[in-house]
Amino acid sequence: MEKIYCKYHPAAPARWQCNACRVNFCTTCAASDTDGIEPVCPLCGQKTVSLGAGNLIRPFWQRIPRFFLFPAHAVPLLFILALAGLSMLVSGSAFGMLFMLVINIVFFKYAFAILEDTAQGYLKPKPITGSVIFDELELPLKQLLLIFFIALLNYKVLGLFGFGPFILAVMISVAAFPAAVMILAVEHSIFKALNPLMILVTIKRIGPSYFIMCLFLALLLSGATVASDLLTTTLPKNIWFASSNFINMYFMLIMYNMMGYVIYQYHEQLGFSVTEAYLEEDSGKPASDPRFRQVDILLQEGKTEEAEKKLIREIEKNPGELDVREKLHRFYIAANNQQGLIQHSADYIMRLLHANKPSEAMRVYLEASQIAPKLKPAGARERHELAELLRKNGQSRAALNLLNNLHQEFPSYEGIPGAYLLVSQIMFEYFGEEKKALQVLDFLNKKYAGHPLLKDVEEYRQVIERMMVANQPST
Ligand SMILES: [Zn+2]
Ligand SMILES: [Zn+2]
């Protein structure tokens, strides 16, 4: 089955489709509030149609490394380590064989639990409970019986028809075995697992992927053998035994996890119901703020006015949400929209200052004032604060621009002497305008007699005058 992808996130598989717009959406673009209920189309507002959860599932051959890592999760790893450790204790003892049988039964019961959980869509190992291991312990025995029957069947073929047909029968058995194990795991019935018709139907429904899976399983099986062979025989016998048991169990868990996943991937074809809530977090799903998904879609469709309205509505609903304001600010910058910047970003700057984010406020101001030079925050205190910041960061011209005519616009602002002392400093130090700098100081002396800051004003006047004398060309 060909995968369908989201129009706006080409890497993300689509979950919903709008018939009116002929657009497919991922779960980020169109999210349903209730699991499985069709959400409305972000473009036209009509109800979307489900594409099936199967479309979201990543094919098993794309997540091979995850199968390898599955038994390395704490729960399965500790479990097989414990079993391998037990096998070390009993190796060579009189009850060794019997004990190994018990260990294997417990192990395969766990492997079946993993197969079943994975088939249901639980892609991470669940904790092991008593019932996981001890309920239905006959399941691994059924698998043993399954192997016994298949072996018997092949032996019969050898006896009745000779070597050629026997080889053919073995090949068919090997190819059918994973399907039989998968049926046994889902149905818990050895008769169904041995039913050639059921095996054929299962293989047919999974399609060519079934044989890709068989290939991987064969590779894993030989991988386990190779890895065991690599263990040097110089190891003490019981340690060698335990290590090779550990390796075999590790590879078996990979294989059972993979078989379970194939059921999960093809659950729709197999008529198997799964839990959609356990979809892999990183199944190509874009991590984007859900509040912006409709805005992003509208922008991509060129519906800028609608996107702008939507953002403004969002800000009216939550005036304190700085993320939404940033989004609108970016939108106006991209659109070169002077009016929008003056109306919106000036307010945004005020809020950033109040939220104690001075460097953010400065960035927004510098970005916005490039396009809208007239933009200024509405409050005198905020302009003053921003100007101080800009001056400290080498943006003297922008600082001066903010303080221009402050005393006329805000006659009652008590910070005027401080702001204008700053103006005077910028005039003198940045523009070299000593006369204008002195004029500003004169104005302060006249207008704010008795203000505590006049001491600093006087000091600065002396600085300017000393510099002027020092810089006078000697005749
Ligand atoms: Zn999307
Ligand atoms: Zn639509």
Side-chain angles (χ1 to χ4, degrees):
M1 191 175 64
E2 196 57 36
K3 263 204 185 310
I4 302 168
Y5 290 92
C6 172
K7 180 177 178 191
Y8 305 100
H9 303 100
R15 176 72 179 85
W16 312 103
Q17 185 169 52
C18 175
N19 283 335
C21 303
R22 301 194 159 273
V23 171
N24 303 310
F25 301 100
C26 68
T27 48
T28 305
C29 288
S32 54
D33 300 327
T34 330
D35 209 21
I37 301 291
E38 297 87 350
V40 296
C41 166
L43 289 169
C44 71
Q46 292 186 47
K47 229 179 177 27
T48 56
V49 179
S50 168
L51 288 169
N55 193 53
L56 299 187
I57 299 169
R58 189 196 287 245
F60 75 91
W61 53 85
Q62 280 184 14
R63 64 190 296 288
I64 298 298
R66 278 166 185 265
F67 296 121
F68 272 91
L69 289 176
F70 184 87
H73 283 94
V75 170
L77 193 66
L78 288 174
F79 186 68
I80 58 176
L81 272 174
L83 289 183
L86 277 176
S87 77
M88 182 167 80
L89 295 180
V90 301
S91 103
S93 77
F95 297 105
M97 286 285 280
L98 190 67
F99 215 90
M100 272 318 292
L101 183 68
V102 173
I103 286 178
N104 268 307
I105 287 172
V106 168
F107 168 73
F108 274 102
K109 180 67 217 315
Y110 181 55
F112 270 108
I114 282 175
L115 199 166
E116 282 180 83
D117 287 344
T118 315
Q120 295 265 344
Y122 299 93
L123 300 183
K124 288 199 177 117
K126 283 194 193 171
I128 297 176
T129 59
S131 68
V132 168
I133 301 306
F134 298 111
D135 285 5
E136 284 196 85
L137 259 180
E138 67 273 18
L139 200 58
L141 289 173
K142 282 179 181 170
Q143 180 178 249
L144 219 58
L145 213 59
L146 189 70
I147 295 170
F148 174 74
F149 269 121
I150 293 174
L152 192 70
L153 214 65
N154 285 302
Y155 182 71
K156 283 272 176 226
V157 169
L158 180 65
L160 287 173
F161 306 104
F163 193 68
F166 169 70
I167 293 295
L168 192 67
V170 169
M171 281 163 67
I172 292 172
S173 306
V174 167
F177 188 65
V181 172
M182 286 154 85
I183 295 169
L184 183 61
V186 173
E187 304 280 353
H188 291 205
S189 154
I190 187 155
F191 296 105
K192 287 185 177 166
L194 274 171
N195 181 344
L197 198 65
M198 268 203 86
I199 291 176
L200 266 178
V201 167
T202 303
I203 295 174
K204 190 169 170 284
R205 286 188 178 163
I206 296 174
S209 308
Y210 177 79
F211 296 100
I212 302 175
M213 178 192 75
C214 287
L215 193 70
F216 275 117
L217 293 176
L219 287 173
L220 284 165
L221 207 56
S222 49
T225 316
V226 170
S228 295
D229 288 350
L230 284 177
L231 293 174
T232 82
T233 40
T234 54
L235 284 172
K237 191 169 178 294
N238 56 348
I239 291 181
W240 172 84
F241 184 64
S243 318
S244 102
N245 277 333
F246 174 79
I247 290 170
N248 280 315
M249 288 191 272
Y250 194 101
F251 275 81
M252 277 295 157
L253 289 190
I254 299 175
M255 292 163 76
Y256 277 67
N257 182 221
M258 187 184 281
M259 286 190 281
Y261 191 86
V262 170
I263 297 179
Y264 174 60
Q265 188 187 333
Y266 291 93
H267 70 271
E268 277 165 353
Q269 290 87 332
L270 294 169
F272 189 74
S273 65
V274 305
T275 324
E276 203 177 320
Y278 289 90
L279 286 169
E280 239 160 335
E281 322 79 64
D282 63 338
S283 54
K285 220 170 137 182
S288 120
D289 192 324
R291 285 169 308 169
F292 300 145
R293 62 186 164 224
Q294 197 185 358
V295 173
D296 287 334
I297 291 170
L298 290 169
L299 284 176
Q300 285 196 45
E301 291 295 332
K303 301 186 175 179
T304 47
E305 256 173 62
E306 279 176 54
E308 182 188 357
K309 271 189 209 145
K310 169 104 180 117
L311 279 172
I312 290 173
R313 264 204 308 277
E314 200 65 42
I315 289 174
E316 281 164 357
K317 263 194 283 174
N318 303 299
E321 290 271 9
L322 295 178
D323 292 353
V324 189
R325 288 177 183 269
E326 175 69 24
K327 187 90 179 165
L328 189 59
H329 169 69
R330 294 251 72 83
F331 169 76
Y332 286 138
I333 293 282
N336 243 329
N337 185 333
Q338 279 207 36
Q339 207 48 45
L341 286 169
I342 289 172
Q343 275 175 5
H344 161 76
S345 296
D347 192 16
Y348 178 34
I349 293 165
M350 298 266 281
R351 285 181 185 270
L352 284 170
L353 287 170
H354 295 169
N356 207 9
K357 293 183 169 166
S359 49
E360 285 289 280
M362 209 162 60
R363 169 188 60 82
V364 171
Y365 173 73
L366 289 171
E367 284 169 355
S369 60
Q370 296 247 316
I371 293 165
K374 286 202 190 107
L375 173 137
K376 285 173 189 178
R381 183 180 305 283
E382 288 79 6
R383 278 192 207 177
H384 187 180
E385 188 185 341
L386 194 57
E388 298 263 15
L389 282 166
L390 287 164
R391 158 102 171 132
K392 266 186 218 140
N393 287 278
Q395 300 284 346
S396 294
R397 192 181 291 271
L400 198 60
N401 183 40
L402 275 176
L403 296 176
N404 217 359
N405 281 329
L406 196 69
H407 74 287
Q408 277 167 352
E409 280 184 66
F410 302 93
S412 59
Y413 175 51
E414 71 278 16
I416 295 280
Y420 277 19
L421 182 57
L422 184 65
V423 169
S424 174
Q425 287 164 344
I426 295 172
M427 291 277 195
F428 179 59
E429 292 162 30
Y430 184 75
F431 293 100
E433 301 256 21
E434 61 265 345
K435 283 214 182 83
K436 279 188 186 165
L438 287 172
Q439 272 170 13
V440 173
L441 298 181
D442 282 343
F443 166 82
L444 285 179
N445 268 328
K446 230 185 287 160
K447 203 77 194 281
Y448 295 89
H451 193 281
L453 219 64
L454 284 190
K455 195 164 55 74
D456 297 357
V457 169
E458 193 44 42
E459 258 172 39
Y460 196 63
R461 170 194 299 286
Q462 287 170 14
V463 169
I464 297 177
E465 281 167 352
R466 265 202 305 274
M467 293 285 282
M468 281 168 72
V469 173
N471 285 346
Q472 243 160 30
S474 50
T475 43

